[in-house]
């Protein structure tokens, strides 16, 4: 699946000057909600990520909200697993709410729409591991870290890109006076 073409066609590949979750700046932004609002695209993406982990026994799939909610659902559906999400706890971490089932020893796949530093999906993983579950892999729609992100388990993405990111103090777009967008 040419997933980057889907981002382009739906208008989800933005160009400008963006503030990223990590605090870094970038001239490119992948707006996954624009893609995932289309159920047919979401379903195809979930099936494609599930194929990357075919044969792996998975009890549940977890994704960090918001981007990971729909993605965990469509991937879990394709794998025949439960679909969970983690939420920001307001203190820099994530938690899994009561009512979503995590049993000690459960095998889980973590999914993420876009991996830049991997910090968000790592926080979702920590939330599931804190309840005794065991990570078996990480799946993403797009790894924009250029293959730099690693999680100690198989990490597979539908596309791997190397989009530049800058520390704010070294950002050439800031130096050029381009307004910063928070999307
Ligand atoms: O790999 P990282 O450096 O953590 O950056 C990528 C994260 O940033 C975005 O989430 P964000 O929390 O900005 O928005 P969301 O609530 O829409 O998922 C995206 O959905 C990834 O979760
Ligand atoms: O690093 C991020 O925050 C980020 C990058 C990107 O391309 N898309 C996104 O949703 N978040
Ligand atoms: Mg996110």
């Amino acid at each position: 699946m040419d997933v980057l073409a889907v981002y382009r066609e739906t208008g989800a590949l933005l160009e400008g000057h963006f503030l990223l979750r990590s605090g870094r700046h970038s001239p490119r932004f992948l707006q996954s909600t624009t893609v995932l609002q289309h159920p047919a695209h979401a379903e195809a993406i979930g099936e494609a990520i599930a194929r990357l982990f075919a044969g792996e026994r998975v009890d549940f799939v977890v994704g960090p909200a918001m981007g990971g909610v729909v993605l965990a659902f469509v991937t879990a559906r394709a794998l025949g697993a439960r679909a969970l999400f983690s939420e920001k706890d307001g203190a820099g971490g994530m938690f899994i709410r009561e009512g979503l089932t995590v049993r000690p020893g459960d095998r889980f796949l973590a999914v993420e729409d876009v991996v830049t530093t991997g910090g968000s999906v790592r926080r979702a993983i920590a939330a599931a591991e804190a309840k005794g579950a065991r990570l078996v892999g990480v799946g993403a729609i797009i790894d924009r870290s250029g293959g730099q992100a690693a999680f100690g388990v198989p990490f597979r993405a539908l596309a791997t890109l190397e989009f530049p990111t800058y520390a704010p103090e070294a950002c050439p777009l800031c130096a050029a006076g381009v307004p910063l967008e928070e999307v």
Side-chain angles (χ1 to χ4, degrees), residues 9 13 18-19 22-23 27 29 43 60 63-64 68 98 110 118 120 131 134 148-149 153 157 163-164:
E9 281 158 22
L13 176 53
F18 302 101
L19 176 62
S22 53
F29 195 85
E43 204 169 83
F60 69 83
E98 293 303 316
S120 301
K131 289 175 174 264
R134 181 176 151 214
Q148 293 304 299
V153 291
F163 284 165

Side-chain angles (χ1 to χ4, degrees), residues 24-88:
R24 295 180 70 82
H25 294 190
S26 179
R28 295 267 161 73
F29 195 85
L30 295 148
Q31 185 68 283
S32 304
T33 47
T34 302
V35 172
L36 296 172
Q37 69 179 328
H38 301 284
H41 285 321
E43 204 169 83
I45 285 169
E47 286 167 2
I49 292 179
R51 278 196 295 276
L52 299 179
F53 293 92
E56 192 70 72
R57 189 172 66 72
V58 172
D59 297 301
F60 69 83
V61 180
V62 67
M66 294 292 295
V69 177
V70 169
L71 186 60
F73 182 90
V74 291
T75 306
R77 187 181 171 101
L79 285 168
R82 301 194 302 280
L84 276 59
F85 54 87
S86 62
E87 298 173 68
K88 297 182 178 93

